[in-house]
Amino acid sequence: MELEAWLNTRNGIAHRADALAAGFSAWAIATEVRADRVRVVRRSWLYTSRCSWELYSAAAVGGRLTCVSAAKARGLWTIKDPAIHVAVARNAAVRAVPGVRLHWSRPFVPASRFELIDPVENLLSEIADCQPFENAIVVVDSALRSGMVSSSQLSRWQLRSKAFGRLVKAASQFSDSGIESLPLVRLRRRGIDMRQQVRIDGHPVDGLIGNRLVLQFDGFGPHSDPARRRRDLAQDARLMTLGYTVLRFDYYQVMYDWELVESTIVAAMAQGLHLFGTPASH
């Protein structure tokens, strides 16, 4: 395999030491660099046009993506943050870089100097103290749901941060995405208990308040598919015939019009739609 192709299998960037260990000679590397098929940043990192700006930025300052940037790179659910978060050593001589937020901190767990993305343990510990609570909890919930960490592991981590303790206490492994994490946190803050992933009529619902107020939250991805949308609406109709009240909200409403979402839920509860009667067995 050519060096350029090999780099592209590694997100378009790798440390020179890794390339040498993979069997590429110093001459082969120099040849690819002279041909401009491979470029060099900070003397030791080799990259191609496939390399993302985030990974390039981490290599350029001699650090690793961390916090929400590392979470995004690892496929976790995040709330958009325009900054690129990079962890560097506490004694690193690094100048401020536009668009890059530097985290001068001691890593929670050791990280290889040949890696550009923080381990999940480090990125979660950084998120706790860097991000607003809601931005952080969606990432923690996503890590739990994906199996990258477990609730028991989080509870045993030796972190003294009060912010991290709040996250552990509030975290839920039942949120499929941040669109489900945020309502749980926000309703809990108001004193409303929403149970997640309760199975009714053979299908899980995103949230259930009381014994008959069902909440469904649609994200952009799967719910943009017409067939799935029809399936969701059919499930809503079945639940209504069983005596449930169903409120369905989309991504935009949860993220940018929460006041409407919350007021609608409260109005339904004020009418007793979460408690009246006994719904059909399920």
Side-chain angles (χ1 to χ4, degrees):
M1 182 183 291
E2 297 293 332
L3 177 60
E4 181 182 10
W6 178 80
L7 288 170
N8 286 338
T9 66
R10 302 168 65 89
N11 296 316
I13 189 168
H15 197 278
R16 182 186 296 269
D18 280 346
L20 293 171
F24 297 100
S25 66
W27 179 86
I29 293 173
T31 299
E32 291 291 289
V33 171
R34 283 195 298 271
D36 201 33
R37 288 187 289 270
V38 172
R39 297 183 178 182
V40 181
V41 59
R42 206 177 174 85
R43 297 190 301 277
S44 297
W45 289 95
L46 309 172
Y47 71 99
T48 72
S49 58
R50 295 275 187 89
C51 177
S52 69
W53 179 246
E54 290 80 6
L55 289 173
Y56 174 87
S57 298
V61 299
R64 298 177 309 281
L65 293 181
T66 193
C67 196
V68 289
S69 298
K72 180 181 177 182
R74 292 196 177 279
L76 298 177
W77 209 96
T78 61
I79 292 178
K80 187 176 181 180
D81 186 322
I84 300 173
H85 294 252
V86 178
V88 296
R90 285 187 173 182
N91 60 350
V94 181
R95 294 181 179 179
V97 180
V100 175
R101 181 168 182 174
L102 297 173
H103 290 237
W104 277 281
S105 58
R106 181 179 301 167
F108 177 49
V109 299
S112 170
R113 66 188 183 92
F114 300 150
E115 295 292 333
L116 289 174
I117 305 174
D118 244 346
V120 66
E121 293 86 355
N122 289 350
L123 73 87
L124 291 182
S125 65
E126 291 293 328
I127 277 176
D129 293 317
C130 172
Q131 294 291 303
F133 180 78
E134 288 191 352
N135 293 27
I137 194 64
V138 298
V139 177
V140 175
D141 283 358
S142 182
L144 286 170
R145 185 68 172 176
S146 68
M148 288 188 185
V149 294
S150 67
S151 297
S152 61
Q153 287 174 320
L154 288 179
S155 65
R156 293 196 300 270
W157 284 6
Q158 299 300 305
L159 289 173
R160 297 189 177 92
S161 166
K162 290 183 178 179
F164 187 80
R166 286 184 64 213
L167 288 176
V168 173
K169 186 175 181 181
S172 168
Q173 62 182 332
F174 299 112
S175 297
D176 284 332
S177 71
I179 298 305
E180 295 175 27
S181 296
L182 293 176
L184 178 67
V185 170
R186 292 169 177 173
L187 292 174
R188 184 182 292 162
R189 189 162 55 226
R190 184 162 181 148
I192 298 174
D193 178 33
M194 181 187 81
R195 289 176 288 151
Q196 294 181 287
Q197 300 302 315
V198 177
R199 294 191 70 84
I200 305 173
D201 189 32
H203 302 279
V205 298
D206 295 335
L208 179 67
I209 297 176
N211 67 344
R212 57 174 284 196
L213 179 58
V214 173
L215 306 181
Q216 301 281 41
F217 303 103
D218 295 349
F220 276 145
H223 294 279
S224 62
D225 175 65
R228 179 157 186 172
R229 179 65 175 172
R230 287 192 294 271
R231 188 197 72 182
D232 290 342
L233 293 176
Q235 182 189 8
D236 291 352
R238 288 195 304 271
L239 290 173
M240 292 175 69
T241 62
L242 291 172
Y244 294 88
T245 295
V246 182
L247 300 179
R248 183 175 289 275
F249 304 100
D250 65 14
Y251 177 94
Y252 183 90
Q253 290 171 314
V254 172
M255 296 298 297
Y256 306 111
D257 199 5
W258 177 253
E259 184 176 346
L260 169 67
V261 175
E262 187 172 287
S263 64
T264 302
I265 294 170
V266 170
M269 294 179 69
Q271 297 174 55
L273 297 180
H274 60 312
L275 294 175
F276 282 359
T278 302
S281 59
H282 52 272

